[in-house]
Amino acid sequence: MSFTLMSTAFKYGERIPKKYTCDDVDISPPLQWSNIPAGTKSLVLIMEDPDAPIGVFTHWVLYNIPPDKTELPENVPKTLVVEGIGMQGVNDFGRVGYGGPCPPRGHKPHRYFFRLYALNTVPNIKQRASKDEVLRIIKNNIIGTAEYMGTYSR
């Protein structure tokens, strides 16, 4: 079996429900994963929009997720440290935690990729880290990646 990521809130490639966007309550969707690679010591989740007009836009950076975790509940608190879940970095909105889809009006649907990285270490990443900082620190320790994608337009 391969390392997989999914959500009960929407199917792969389908529209992300409005409640998980800036047009509603802007809470994170529930995510589940399975078959993490043997030797995984921690997980990192990054959500980004490659279709943003300014280039890739980061919506969520979550790291030091314990390897025994198999899911994230809906509405992960937007705090630096989330008890039992991990630490959150700064997204491209300039805020800590999840920032939902919020594409410019009139654009074709944007794609939102959730990528879960399995690491063979628990990296020492400072609080409020950016996606670029996290990826730079973990790049040599990634032993598996799972991906899930939803779309949204306004």
Side-chain angles (χ1 to χ4, degrees), residues 15-16 19 27 37 39 41 53 63 67 79 106 108 111 119 122 134 140:
R15 184 176 174 85
I16 296 171
K19 78 181 199 179
I27 60 173
K41 302 270 195 305
Y63 46 96
T79 56
K108 67 177 178 45
R111 296 167 298 153
L119 308 178
V122 179
V134 170
N140 295 322

Side-chain angles (χ1 to χ4, degrees), residues 1 22 27 41 81 84 102 104 107 139 141:
M1 297 285 298
C22 71
I27 60 173
K41 302 270 195 305
V81 177
C102 199
H107 276 225
K139 71 176 186 252
N141 300 101

Side-chain angles (χ1 to χ4, degrees), residues 45-91:
L45 178 74
I46 294 175
M47 176 193 171
E48 55 192 6
D49 169 7
D51 302 317
I54 59 164
V56 178
F57 191 92
T58 303
H59 286 263
W60 199 10
V61 180
L62 178 58
Y63 46 96
N64 292 359
I65 303 166
D68 59 349
K69 222 77 200 126
T70 58
E71 64 182 344
L72 293 177
E74 180 178 85
N75 196 17
V76 170
K78 297 177 183 185
T79 56
L80 284 171
V81 177
V82 183
E83 191 64 40
I85 292 177
M87 296 174 61
Q88 297 191 99
V90 176
N91 59 40

